[in-house]
Amino acid sequence: MLGKIRTPVAAALCCVLLGTAVAGCGGDALENWDPLAPATPTTTAPISGPQKIKVAGRSVNVSCSGTPEAGRPVIVLMHGGGDGLDKLAALQKTLSGEHRVCSYDRLGAGASDQPEGPQDFAGAGKILTGVLERVAGDDPVVLAGHSLGGLIAARYAPDHQDRVKGLVLMDATPPTMLADITKSIPESAKGPAAELRAQNLAVFQGQNPERLVITDGKVRSAGDIPVEVIQHGKPYLKALPEYGPRLERAWAAGQRKWLALSSRAELSTAAGSEHYIYVDQPEVAVQAIERVAAQAAKG
């Protein structure tokens, strides 16, 4: 998992580009998560707390809090790879004081079902659509995604402009990260860099908890919706010997690419944060999400 740099460097950075836990990578344990958290869903009642819903025949774990309010978008938080909605609990609690906020475990994450086979962005989008239909109904939504969750949100929004009215990308996986890592760390690399390269390429090929095959792609416009892109300010990727500075530059360039999502997109830096911006500087994440939600409510 991304987070604090540990030793050896390869273990600390093994999934540095996605925040995805794979075999051999350090990860945040989910021992405090209760997959048996109560709730037998009804089909129409607003969700409160954790609840299992059916989407495309699969059980998806969702959690909602805060009071729905006419004219205001539902904020949907999207976790990074290797994480689950429990990681977002503190952020959701803070936001729900003034907003309706929901989060969900993607297939293969947290307390949701495992995927039946390899997934792609279209499949992940289908699950997200089902979740939004249940938690937001006809209300507009603001998607706030971290790392891989940000990448999925940014890929989803252009095709769902009728529903997605704002985006917040928190150190989102860049749109061309597969190409970026192969350029930043050549095949001839040795030691920790070679290990990092191989592990991340495996992740992109679907060797991750969600079995999601991650492909590069051009950034498509989501219209003129408000978009805030937040990048980390502490250059922790530089910890990788020799190739770390290249990775930092590639990551920063990738964050700038997300500005093509909207004519109203803005880029900022969380100066005191590594990859987990909403953990290192929760106030930065909260303020950005609230700004986008307020703009989305105005249309």
Side-chain angles (χ1 to χ4, degrees):
M1 294 294 297
L2 285 169
K4 302 300 181 183
I5 295 297
R6 300 183 295 276
T7 55
V9 171
L13 294 176
C14 63
C15 295
V16 72
L17 306 177
L18 292 173
T20 304
V22 296
C25 298
D28 288 333
L30 297 179
E31 66 267 20
N32 294 324
W33 179 248
D34 180 11
L36 301 178
T40 300
T42 63
T43 57
T44 57
I47 293 173
S48 179
Q51 183 168 300
K52 301 290 184 64
I53 65 173
K54 284 291 184 180
V55 178
R58 312 297 290 163
S59 178
V60 177
N61 189 50
V62 303
S63 177
C64 291
S65 51
T67 304
E69 185 175 334
R72 299 185 67 179
V74 176
I75 296 168
V76 178
L77 305 177
M78 300 179 64
H79 62 77
D83 293 333
L85 64 79
D86 60 326
K87 184 83 174 183
L88 297 161
L91 177 62
Q92 180 166 330
K93 182 178 180 180
T94 299
L95 289 166
S96 63
E98 299 291 337
H99 304 271
R100 176 70 170 169
V101 190
C102 297
S103 55
Y104 75 107
D105 290 326
R106 295 187 295 273
L107 295 184
S112 288
D113 278 352
Q114 294 297 308
E116 295 179 330
Q119 298 195 86
D120 56 16
F121 284 120
K126 183 177 180 180
I127 296 298
L128 176 53
T129 294
V131 169
L132 297 183
E133 288 175 349
R134 179 63 183 90
V135 304
D138 295 329
D139 292 335
V141 300
V142 166
L143 301 180
H146 168 249
S147 196
L148 178 58
L151 174 62
I152 294 171
R155 290 277 188 244
Y156 182 85
D159 293 324
H160 299 85
Q161 296 180 40
D162 59 329
R163 179 184 293 273
V164 180
K165 301 303 181 182
L167 285 171
V168 178
L169 306 182
M170 297 174 283
D171 224 31
T173 302
T176 57
M177 205 64 245
L178 180 57
D180 292 343
I181 190 172
T182 55
K183 291 177 181 177
S184 298
I185 306 177
E187 193 173 0
S188 60
K190 305 294 183 182
E195 186 176 347
L196 171 63
R197 186 182 194 274
Q199 288 170 332
N200 275 277
L201 293 182
V203 166
F204 275 87
Q205 293 166 1
Q207 296 179 38
N208 56 71
E210 299 173 38
R211 300 185 66 183
L212 179 65
V213 178
I214 302 159
T215 55
D216 285 353
K218 183 179 179 180
V219 178
R220 295 178 296 126
S221 174
D224 63 351
I225 64 172
V227 176
E228 290 212 20
V229 180
I230 314 171
Q231 63 183 354
H232 67 260
K234 289 187 175 181
Y236 69 98
L237 300 182
K238 287 186 177 179
L240 182 71
E242 187 174 355
Y243 302 104
R246 293 187 190 178
L247 286 175
E248 281 288 353
R249 289 194 295 271
W251 189 274
Q255 300 307 297
R256 292 192 295 272
K257 290 175 183 176
W258 286 128
L259 295 177
L261 279 163
S262 171
S263 58
R264 297 168 65 191
E266 296 182 0
L267 173 66
S268 63
T269 300
S273 295
E274 293 184 354
H275 189 49
Y276 280 86
I277 292 169
Y278 67 92
V279 174
D280 294 342
Q281 291 183 277
E283 71 283 358
V284 171
V286 169
Q287 291 167 10
I289 294 169
E290 289 185 333
R291 282 193 299 269
V292 169
Q295 293 175 60
K298 294 177 181 178

